[in-house]
Amino acid sequence: MSLSAPMPTPTVLKSMPTKALNVLHTSDWHLGRRLYGRLRYDEFAAFLNWLQDTISAQHVDVLIVAGDVFDTMTPSNKAQALYYEFLGKVSKSCCQHVVIVAGNHDSPTFLDAPSHVLKFLNVHVIGTACEDLNDEVLVLDDVNGTPHCIIAAVPYLRDRDVRSSQAGESGQIKDANVIAGIRAHYDKVADIAKVKQVELIEAHQRHIPIIATGHLFAAGGQTTDDDGVRELYVGSLGKVSADMFDAGFDYVALGHLHVPQRVGGREHIRYSGSPIAMGFGEARQQKQVLLVQFGAAADVFFDKEEIASNTIIENATAAIVPMKETARKAVNQATDFMDDLFGFDEPLEDSELANIAAKESNIDQRNEDIQSTPTDLTISNKTSNKVLHQDGSNQMQVTSLPIPKFQQLAQISGDLTTIAQTIDALTKNESIWLEIIYTGDDVISELREHIQAMIDGLPCEVLKIKNTRTYNKVLNQQQNSETLQDLDEQEVFERCLMAHNVPDEQKPTLRDAYEQIVHGLHHEDKQAE
């Protein structure tokens, strides 16, 4: 059948019977990542052990890892050992297939190198955008050789994969070219997948779901202050909309953003988020993996309202970047769980805004109280699974499976008195890593010593102390206590511009050139020959 041949509509295809299928969606493991220099291998190992147990408990057929398996393009031996040991163990479990695509932190060639060997374990790795897009469309069979599903395994699409750069292009043209390139890639993959789907449906007389992957930044996507999420393209380009994904995709498993969320209000297009907090800004997030069930596997109905009423609200109080007004509706409709907290809807009508304003004020005040009032910052791991979406007509269900916290983190902000009271209220039963942000008006010359005295005898360790007062920053610089660890590459460059008295009119051009250099350093595949 050719690509130009007429195909049944997605609605007709999805109305057919669907075989039971359990798919687990996860992403952004960042194996090997450190937190202020602290190694976190114990956390990663604990997560992978939990994931292996979850796969068995939920009878998962297909595991999807949507990019950023490793934190760097040259992962350590320990990070590699965790990765390969996990794949070896999962290959012996009920999980019949593992699909892994590269993210922007991964080396495409490093992931691809053992792919031919891993195929014997039914581990399918797509590190690089394929020259022949048929290679990105995988038909996964069950143990009896009948098709489970079709995976449109699209990895992170690098600059060279989606556009050809030309000298003198404006930022607007570059952005349009990036978006057009990403859309064209997904359209071609979708066409190939739908042709295969029609052929399989004719042969087996049942719906074969198409699941797409992606590692990208969706327009309106939410991040946290210190999650380390990098811009994928120079100048913040390449933020795609939900409309870019073909209607034939039954589910789209995305990676890159660490906050669990839907895209454009679409229930079937989701970020699973990172499995552990990558920074203290994520300390209060309830991390999750997503169980996507099709057919008979999804024929279990839950009372969604009852589950929502029992959900712990404080698990969703992440320190996030302020949302645009167009996202406010979802925030106020469902503050009881992190998925709907980050849903996006169309702009509100004026008549709706008045009713929402009072709720929004109460929510903002509650969040202020949480930040400023001394409290037990240890968040309970006793959260239950929650059905996020159920579509009887499409025979699909999406369930959030909460991940336990393997290392407690707490971010404490305030003056010295508030910090002391909050530390005193911390749990005494388990290890907690702390980030202290001093916001008091008084100049404290020996702040670290004061903080250290507060945690004496407690199972706490301070990984970072920040002083937000401007004059204290100047004082710290004079005392040479500020280190490069306190600054990112952009801040260092801005300091250089100031130190060399660069004229304001020259700064935009220099910043643009510098951003391109840094982007190249971050995204160059050092494993490639």
Side-chain angles (χ1 to χ4, degrees):
M1 179 179 292
S2 68
L3 292 180
S4 60
M7 291 180 287
T9 64
T11 302
V12 173
L13 293 177
K14 293 178 182 179
S15 64
M16 301 182 71
T18 304
K19 182 182 177 182
L21 173 66
N22 290 334
V23 178
L24 196 63
H25 168 201
T26 179
S27 71
D28 297 277
W29 295 355
H30 289 276
L31 298 178
R33 186 180 180 89
R34 301 186 181 200
L35 183 59
Y36 291 131
R38 178 56 56 90
L39 295 173
R40 308 182 73 181
Y41 290 121
D42 289 344
E43 288 176 83
F44 293 124
F47 161 66
L48 293 176
N49 287 336
W50 174 87
L51 185 59
Q52 183 183 349
D53 292 341
T54 299
I55 287 170
S56 298
Q58 299 295 336
H59 306 289
V60 171
D61 301 300
V62 178
L63 172 67
I64 294 176
V65 186
D68 283 353
V69 178
F70 298 105
D71 192 54
T72 71
M73 294 191 181
T74 54
S76 67
N77 290 340
K78 180 65 174 177
Q80 294 179 53
L82 289 173
Y83 172 63
Y84 290 116
E85 287 172 9
F86 171 78
L87 294 181
K89 292 176 181 177
V90 169
S91 69
K92 299 178 181 178
S93 71
C94 61
C95 186
Q96 298 172 37
H97 296 274
V98 179
V99 178
I100 299 171
V101 297
N104 60 301
H105 281 253
D106 297 312
S107 162
T109 51
F110 179 84
L111 284 186
D112 278 337
S115 61
H116 294 292
V117 175
L118 291 176
K119 279 183 180 179
F120 289 99
L121 301 179
N122 282 336
V123 177
H124 314 272
V125 180
I126 305 292
T128 308
C130 301
E131 293 184 10
D132 182 355
L133 294 186
N134 286 281
D135 294 336
E136 291 183 16
V137 180
L138 312 174
V139 177
L140 304 186
D141 295 335
D142 63 16
V143 292
N144 299 316
T146 59
H148 258 323
C149 61
I150 300 169
I151 305 291
V154 181
Y156 164 54
L157 299 174
R158 299 173 185 272
D159 258 345
R160 65 176 179 269
D161 300 322
V162 295
R163 72 181 178 96
S164 56
S165 179
Q166 297 181 6
E169 284 184 340
S170 67
Q172 188 174 6
I173 293 176
K174 289 179 181 178
D175 193 19
N177 289 341
V178 167
I179 297 299
I182 295 173
R183 179 184 291 274
H185 190 102
Y186 273 96
D187 285 347
K188 292 174 183 176
V189 169
D191 286 343
I192 295 169
K194 288 188 292 184
V195 168
K196 289 182 181 290
Q197 183 187 51
V198 170
E199 293 172 348
L200 292 173
I201 287 175
E202 290 178 350
H204 299 276
Q205 291 301 302
R206 58 181 173 82
H207 178 60
I208 309 296
I210 300 175
I211 302 169
T213 69
H215 194 87
L216 45 79
F217 201 132
Q222 300 301 305
T223 64
T224 56
D225 292 327
D226 60 349
D227 58 10
V229 172
R230 300 172 184 159
E231 295 292 353
L232 297 180
Y233 306 95
V234 177
S236 303
L237 305 180
K239 294 185 179 180
V240 303
S241 68
D243 294 332
M244 188 194 71
F245 299 106
D246 192 278
F249 292 151
D250 293 84
Y251 183 78
V252 182
L254 296 178
H256 183 56
L257 300 188
H258 296 171
V259 178
Q261 57 196 283
R262 297 172 297 174
V263 174
R266 310 291 176 86
E267 296 290 352
H268 71 293
I269 307 175
R270 291 180 177 268
Y271 287 95
S272 63
S274 59
I276 68 173
M278 296 299 161
F280 283 94
E282 299 180 38
R284 284 182 172 271
Q285 283 181 27
Q286 174 59 62
K287 296 299 187 179
Q288 64 170 26
V289 295
L290 294 172
L291 180 65
V292 185
Q293 298 172 288
F294 294 93
D299 287 343
V300 180
F301 294 90
F302 294 86
D303 185 342
K304 298 171 74 173
E305 291 185 0
E306 179 180 345
I307 295 175
S309 67
N310 292 328
T311 305
I312 301 174
I313 292 178
E314 73 174 328
N315 283 344
T317 56
I320 63 169
V321 175
M323 294 183 180
K324 296 180 183 288
E325 287 302 318
T326 54
R328 289 293 190 180
K329 181 178 180 182
V331 175
N332 292 282
Q333 285 178 332
T335 57
D336 59 345
F337 201 75
M338 69 282 183
D339 164 76
D340 293 324
L341 178 67
F342 299 112
F344 309 109
D345 290 313
E346 295 300 317
L348 303 179
E349 298 293 335
D350 291 339
S351 59
E352 298 178 277
L353 289 174
N355 294 331
I356 289 174
K359 295 180 183 179
E360 184 174 306
S361 176
N362 291 336
I363 291 170
D364 290 342
Q365 182 61 48
R366 181 172 60 193
N367 286 341
E368 282 185 19
D369 293 341
I370 290 173
Q371 294 296 324
S372 60
T373 304
T375 183
D376 185 349
L377 294 181
T378 303
I379 299 172
S380 171
N381 284 331
K382 297 179 181 179
T383 54
S384 56
N385 302 345
K386 184 188 176 187
V387 177
L388 304 179
H389 172 62
Q390 196 170 61
D391 189 337
S393 62
N394 289 342
Q395 303 175 68
M396 185 182 79
Q397 176 174 288
V398 181
T399 305
S400 170
L401 309 181
I403 302 173
K405 288 182 172 63
F406 306 108
Q407 171 61 58
Q408 295 291 345
L409 306 179
Q411 186 182 69
I412 302 176
S413 177
D415 59 21
L416 211 56
T417 301
T418 301
I419 291 172
Q421 292 174 343
T422 308
I423 288 177
D424 187 60
L426 291 173
T427 179
K428 311 297 191 294
N429 301 323
E430 57 184 325
S431 169
I432 305 177
W433 291 352
L434 301 178
E435 180 182 61
I436 307 296
I437 303 175
Y438 176 72
T439 61
D441 294 327
D442 298 331
V443 176
I444 307 296
S445 60
E446 297 179 344
L447 181 59
R448 180 169 293 278
E449 286 74 10
H450 282 282
I451 300 298
Q452 197 61 44
M454 294 176 190
I455 66 170
D456 188 38
L458 297 176
C460 301
E461 184 175 356
V462 177
L463 300 193
K464 184 67 177 177
I465 297 176
K466 294 182 179 180
N467 194 327
T468 61
R469 306 302 299 178
T470 302
Y471 48 83
N472 280 354
K473 286 186 177 181
V474 174
L475 179 62
N476 286 339
Q477 291 173 16
Q478 293 173 347
Q479 294 176 341
N480 294 322
S481 62
E482 185 177 63
T483 67
L484 281 176
Q485 182 176 283
D486 301 314
L487 307 172
D488 61 28
E489 58 263 27
Q490 191 62 42
E491 289 171 328
V492 172
F493 185 69
E494 292 297 330
R495 296 282 181 90
C496 290
L497 293 178
M498 293 175 60
H500 292 86
N501 298 315
V502 175
D504 290 342
E505 61 271 16
Q506 295 181 13
K507 289 180 181 179
T509 302
L510 291 172
R511 288 191 183 107
D512 182 63
Y514 179 71
E515 286 177 2
Q516 293 189 43
I517 293 171
V518 172
H519 179 272
L521 291 173
H522 282 317
H523 293 82
E524 179 186 1
D525 186 359
K526 298 177 177 61
Q527 303 286 338
E529 293 182 353

